[in-house]
Amino acid sequence: LAASQEAVDLARSLAHPYSLVYALLFASVVRQLRREGETALEDADALIAASREYGFGLGLAWGPVMRGWALAETGRQEEGIAEMTAGLDITKATRSELLLPYYLHLLAMTYQKSGQLDEATGAIADAVEVMERTGQRWCEAELCRLQGELLHARDKAGPEPEALFLRAIDVARQQGARSYELRATMSLSRLWCEQGRRSEALATLEAAVAPFAQGFDTPDLRDAKALLETLS
Protein backbone atom coordinates (compact mmCIF):
# COMPACT_ATOMS: atom_id res chain seq x y z
CA LEU A 1 0.00 0.00 0.00
CA ALA A 2 2.83 2.38 0.89
CA ALA A 3 4.70 1.53 -2.30
CA SER A 4 1.65 2.16 -4.49
CA GLN A 5 1.12 5.57 -2.91
CA GLU A 6 4.81 6.37 -3.34
CA ALA A 7 4.49 5.55 -7.05
CA VAL A 8 1.54 7.94 -7.42
CA ASP A 9 3.38 10.70 -5.58
CA LEU A 10 6.52 10.20 -7.66
CA ALA A 11 4.60 10.25 -10.95
CA ARG A 12 2.93 13.50 -9.94
CA SER A 13 6.20 15.09 -8.85
CA LEU A 14 7.76 14.16 -12.20
CA ALA A 15 4.72 15.52 -14.07
CA HIS A 16 4.83 12.36 -16.19
CA PRO A 17 1.25 11.60 -17.29
CA TYR A 18 1.84 8.05 -18.59
CA SER A 19 3.47 7.00 -15.30
CA LEU A 20 0.67 8.69 -13.36
CA VAL A 21 -2.04 6.73 -15.19
CA TYR A 22 -0.29 3.43 -14.51
CA ALA A 23 0.42 4.33 -10.89
CA LEU A 24 -3.23 5.24 -10.30
CA LEU A 25 -4.37 2.03 -11.98
CA PHE A 26 -2.25 -0.15 -9.74
CA ALA A 27 -3.11 1.92 -6.67
CA SER A 28 -6.76 1.07 -7.34
CA VAL A 29 -5.78 -2.59 -7.84
CA VAL A 30 -4.04 -2.63 -4.45
CA ARG A 31 -7.14 -1.13 -2.88
CA GLN A 32 -9.30 -3.73 -4.60
CA LEU A 33 -7.11 -6.57 -3.35
CA ARG A 34 -7.55 -5.12 0.15
CA ARG A 35 -11.34 -4.90 -0.52
CA GLU A 36 -11.41 -1.15 0.16
CA GLY A 37 -14.20 0.16 -2.02
CA GLU A 38 -14.23 3.80 -0.99
CA THR A 39 -10.52 4.44 -1.57
CA ALA A 40 -10.51 2.30 -4.72
CA LEU A 41 -13.27 4.59 -6.03
CA GLU A 42 -11.12 7.66 -5.36
CA ASP A 43 -8.17 6.16 -7.23
CA ALA A 44 -10.38 5.05 -10.12
CA ASP A 45 -11.88 8.54 -10.43
CA ALA A 46 -8.37 10.02 -10.47
CA LEU A 47 -7.33 7.47 -13.11
CA ILE A 48 -10.26 8.36 -15.33
CA ALA A 49 -9.64 12.11 -14.91
CA ALA A 50 -5.93 11.79 -15.77
CA SER A 51 -6.66 9.54 -18.76
CA ARG A 52 -9.25 11.97 -20.06
CA GLU A 53 -6.94 14.96 -19.58
CA TYR A 54 -4.01 13.35 -21.40
CA GLY A 55 -5.94 11.25 -23.93
CA PHE A 56 -4.97 7.76 -22.75
CA GLY A 57 -7.54 5.41 -24.28
CA LEU A 58 -6.62 2.38 -22.20
CA GLY A 59 -6.95 4.37 -19.00
CA LEU A 60 -10.46 5.33 -20.06
CA ALA A 61 -11.17 1.60 -20.46
CA TRP A 62 -9.51 0.41 -17.25
CA GLY A 63 -10.87 3.18 -15.05
CA PRO A 64 -14.57 2.30 -15.41
CA VAL A 65 -13.88 -1.36 -14.60
CA MET A 66 -12.14 -0.45 -11.36
CA ARG A 67 -14.71 2.25 -10.61
CA GLY A 68 -17.56 -0.19 -11.24
CA TRP A 69 -16.08 -2.73 -8.84
CA ALA A 70 -15.70 -0.02 -6.20
CA LEU A 71 -19.30 1.14 -6.67
CA ALA A 72 -20.55 -2.41 -6.28
CA GLU A 73 -18.38 -2.98 -3.23
CA THR A 74 -19.95 0.06 -1.56
CA GLY A 75 -23.47 -1.23 -2.20
CA ARG A 76 -24.28 0.21 -5.63
CA GLN A 77 -24.20 -3.15 -7.40
CA GLU A 78 -26.45 -2.47 -10.39
CA GLU A 79 -24.64 0.76 -11.19
CA GLY A 80 -21.29 -0.92 -10.65
CA ILE A 81 -22.02 -3.83 -12.98
CA ALA A 82 -23.17 -1.44 -15.70
CA GLU A 83 -19.96 0.58 -15.40
CA MET A 84 -17.78 -2.53 -15.36
CA THR A 85 -19.37 -4.00 -18.48
CA ALA A 86 -19.04 -0.65 -20.26
CA GLY A 87 -15.35 -0.51 -19.34
CA LEU A 88 -14.82 -4.08 -20.52
CA ASP A 89 -16.49 -3.26 -23.83
CA ILE A 90 -14.09 -0.34 -24.29
CA THR A 91 -11.14 -2.55 -23.29
CA LYS A 92 -12.09 -5.20 -25.85
CA ALA A 93 -12.54 -2.52 -28.52
CA THR A 94 -8.91 -1.45 -28.00
CA ARG A 95 -7.91 -5.11 -28.68
CA SER A 96 -5.69 -4.97 -25.63
CA GLU A 97 -5.95 -7.97 -23.31
CA LEU A 98 -3.63 -6.62 -20.65
CA LEU A 99 -5.13 -7.50 -17.23
CA LEU A 100 -8.33 -8.74 -18.92
CA PRO A 101 -8.57 -11.99 -16.87
CA TYR A 102 -8.31 -9.90 -13.71
CA TYR A 103 -11.03 -7.49 -14.84
CA LEU A 104 -13.33 -10.37 -15.84
CA HIS A 105 -12.83 -12.04 -12.48
CA LEU A 106 -13.85 -8.79 -10.78
CA LEU A 107 -17.02 -8.81 -12.85
CA ALA A 108 -17.64 -12.46 -11.90
CA MET A 109 -17.25 -11.64 -8.19
CA THR A 110 -19.67 -8.75 -8.51
CA TYR A 111 -22.24 -10.87 -10.34
CA GLN A 112 -21.87 -13.54 -7.63
CA LYS A 113 -22.51 -11.03 -4.85
CA SER A 114 -25.64 -9.82 -6.61
CA GLY A 115 -26.93 -13.39 -7.02
CA GLN A 116 -26.51 -13.48 -10.80
CA LEU A 117 -24.87 -16.90 -10.90
CA ASP A 118 -25.24 -17.58 -14.63
CA GLU A 119 -23.63 -14.26 -15.49
CA ALA A 120 -20.84 -14.91 -12.97
CA THR A 121 -20.19 -18.33 -14.51
CA GLY A 122 -20.00 -16.79 -17.97
CA ALA A 123 -17.54 -14.11 -16.84
CA ILE A 124 -15.30 -16.77 -15.28
CA ALA A 125 -15.38 -18.83 -18.46
CA ASP A 126 -14.31 -15.76 -20.43
CA ALA A 127 -11.53 -15.03 -17.94
CA VAL A 128 -10.21 -18.60 -18.08
CA GLU A 129 -10.20 -18.53 -21.89
CA VAL A 130 -8.12 -15.34 -21.99
CA MET A 131 -5.86 -16.60 -19.18
CA GLU A 132 -5.09 -19.85 -21.00
CA ARG A 133 -4.46 -18.06 -24.29
CA THR A 134 -2.30 -15.23 -22.96
CA GLY A 135 -0.62 -16.79 -19.92
CA GLN A 136 -1.85 -14.07 -17.54
CA ARG A 137 -2.24 -16.40 -14.56
CA TRP A 138 -1.84 -14.17 -11.53
CA CYS A 139 -5.53 -14.42 -10.56
CA GLU A 140 -5.83 -18.13 -11.47
CA ALA A 141 -6.27 -19.15 -7.83
CA GLU A 142 -9.18 -16.75 -7.43
CA LEU A 143 -10.79 -18.04 -10.61
CA CYS A 144 -10.62 -21.61 -9.25
CA ARG A 145 -12.04 -20.49 -5.92
CA LEU A 146 -14.90 -18.59 -7.54
CA GLN A 147 -15.73 -21.56 -9.75
CA GLY A 148 -15.94 -23.68 -6.62
CA GLU A 149 -18.16 -21.17 -4.84
CA LEU A 150 -20.55 -20.97 -7.79
CA LEU A 151 -20.77 -24.76 -8.14
CA HIS A 152 -21.37 -25.12 -4.40
CA ALA A 153 -24.18 -22.57 -4.57
CA ARG A 154 -25.88 -24.75 -7.18
CA ASP A 155 -25.17 -28.18 -5.66
CA LYS A 156 -24.29 -28.39 -1.97
CA ALA A 157 -23.43 -32.10 -2.23
CA GLY A 158 -21.29 -32.05 -5.37
CA PRO A 159 -17.60 -33.05 -5.22
CA GLU A 160 -16.29 -30.41 -7.60
CA PRO A 161 -16.09 -27.43 -5.17
CA GLU A 162 -13.65 -29.20 -2.84
CA ALA A 163 -11.38 -30.12 -5.75
CA LEU A 164 -11.46 -26.54 -7.04
CA PHE A 165 -10.69 -25.07 -3.60
CA LEU A 166 -7.75 -27.45 -3.20
CA ARG A 167 -6.49 -26.51 -6.66
CA ALA A 168 -6.84 -22.81 -5.79
CA ILE A 169 -4.74 -23.36 -2.67
CA ASP A 170 -2.09 -25.25 -4.65
CA VAL A 171 -1.88 -22.57 -7.35
CA ALA A 172 -1.67 -19.79 -4.76
CA ARG A 173 1.13 -21.60 -2.93
CA GLN A 174 3.09 -22.11 -6.14
CA GLN A 175 2.77 -18.39 -6.88
CA GLY A 176 3.52 -17.29 -3.32
CA ALA A 177 0.12 -15.55 -3.24
CA ARG A 178 -0.69 -15.84 0.45
CA SER A 179 -3.81 -13.70 0.36
CA TYR A 180 -5.33 -15.81 -2.41
CA GLU A 181 -4.29 -18.93 -0.49
CA LEU A 182 -6.09 -17.58 2.57
CA ARG A 183 -9.29 -16.88 0.63
CA ALA A 184 -9.29 -20.36 -0.89
CA THR A 185 -8.59 -21.91 2.51
CA MET A 186 -11.54 -20.05 4.02
CA SER A 187 -13.78 -21.39 1.26
CA LEU A 188 -12.50 -24.91 1.87
CA SER A 189 -12.86 -24.57 5.65
CA ARG A 190 -16.47 -23.45 5.35
CA LEU A 191 -17.19 -26.40 3.09
CA TRP A 192 -15.53 -28.85 5.46
CA CYS A 193 -17.42 -27.34 8.39
CA GLU A 194 -20.70 -28.00 6.55
CA GLN A 195 -19.54 -31.59 6.06
CA GLY A 196 -18.78 -32.04 9.76
CA ARG A 197 -15.00 -31.92 9.29
CA ARG A 198 -14.59 -29.10 11.79
CA SER A 199 -11.20 -30.12 13.21
CA GLU A 200 -9.66 -30.41 9.73
CA ALA A 201 -11.12 -27.04 8.79
CA LEU A 202 -9.72 -25.40 11.92
CA ALA A 203 -6.21 -26.83 11.53
CA THR A 204 -6.03 -25.94 7.83
CA LEU A 205 -7.19 -22.37 8.40
CA GLU A 206 -4.84 -21.86 11.35
CA ALA A 207 -1.93 -22.90 9.12
CA ALA A 208 -2.99 -20.43 6.42
CA VAL A 209 -3.29 -17.52 8.86
CA ALA A 210 -0.04 -18.21 10.73
CA PRO A 211 2.40 -16.70 8.16
CA PHE A 212 0.76 -13.26 8.23
CA ALA A 213 2.65 -10.62 10.19
CA GLN A 214 0.66 -7.54 9.12
CA GLY A 215 -2.63 -6.53 7.53
CA PHE A 216 -4.80 -7.74 10.40
CA ASP A 217 -7.17 -4.82 9.86
CA THR A 218 -7.96 -5.92 6.29
CA PRO A 219 -11.30 -7.63 5.55
CA ASP A 220 -9.72 -10.96 4.57
CA LEU A 221 -7.88 -11.38 7.85
CA ARG A 222 -10.85 -10.13 9.86
CA ASP A 223 -13.00 -12.73 8.10
CA ALA A 224 -10.39 -15.41 8.82
CA LYS A 225 -10.33 -14.48 12.50
CA ALA A 226 -14.12 -14.64 12.72
CA LEU A 227 -14.16 -18.03 10.99
CA LEU A 228 -11.46 -19.36 13.36
CA GLU A 229 -13.60 -18.31 16.32
CA THR A 230 -16.58 -20.11 14.79
CA LEU A 231 -14.57 -23.28 14.24
CA SER A 232 -12.88 -23.27 17.65
Side-chain angles (χ1 to χ4, degrees), residues 155 157-164:
D155 181 6
E160 293 90 350
E162 180 176 359
L164 283 162

Side-chain angles (χ1 to χ4, degrees), residues 24 33 35 44 55 75 91 95 98 106 132 152 155 161-162 175 197 202 213:
L24 288 167
L33 293 169
R35 292 166 54 194
T91 301
R95 306 189 70 171
L98 181 64
L106 293 184
E132 294 291 350
H152 186 56
D155 181 6
E162 180 176 359
Q175 295 181 344
R197 300 162 64 181
L202 177 59

Side-chain angles (χ1 to χ4, degrees), residues 5-168:
Q5 186 56 55
E6 183 181 357
V8 172
D9 293 342
L10 179 58
R12 284 184 170 138
S13 69
L14 294 172
H16 194 264
Y18 192 69
S19 296
L20 178 60
V21 167
Y22 266 88
L24 288 167
L25 167 64
F26 286 103
S28 68
V29 170
V30 169
R31 294 295 190 177
Q32 185 280 314
L33 293 169
R34 290 167 55 94
R35 292 166 54 194
E36 297 173 347
E38 291 288 350
T39 44
L41 183 60
E42 294 173 8
D43 287 329
D45 283 339
L47 166 61
I48 292 168
S51 298
R52 186 175 291 121
E53 179 179 358
Y54 298 110
F56 290 128
L58 276 176
L60 292 172
W62 297 332
V65 179
M66 301 307 299
R67 188 175 194 279
W69 174 85
L71 288 171
E73 187 70 9
T74 55
R76 298 155 67 182
Q77 290 184 333
E78 186 174 342
E79 184 181 353
I81 287 172
E83 191 146 350
M84 292 178 82
T85 53
L88 282 164
D89 287 343
I90 299 170
T91 301
K92 292 171 184 176
T94 68
R95 306 189 70 171
S96 169
E97 294 181 315
L98 181 64
L99 296 178
L100 187 55
Y102 168 71
Y103 296 141
L104 287 165
H105 113 281
L106 293 184
L107 180 62
M109 282 198 301
T110 306
Y111 275 135
Q112 179 198 25
K113 280 189 174 183
S114 67
Q116 300 180 63
L117 302 187
D118 289 341
E119 290 82 357
T121 300
I124 289 175
D126 290 344
V128 170
E129 188 278 323
V130 178
M131 178 188 75
E132 294 291 350
R133 182 161 44 77
T134 65
Q136 298 180 73
R137 295 187 172 275
W138 69 278
C139 60
E140 182 177 4
E142 271 290 83
L143 289 170
C144 290
R145 186 187 70 81
L146 286 168
Q147 284 178 308
E149 293 281 1
L150 289 167
L151 287 170
H152 186 56
R154 296 178 186 278
D155 181 6
K156 298 294 183 185
E160 293 90 350
E162 180 176 359
L164 283 162
F165 296 151
L166 288 168
R167 172 164 171 71

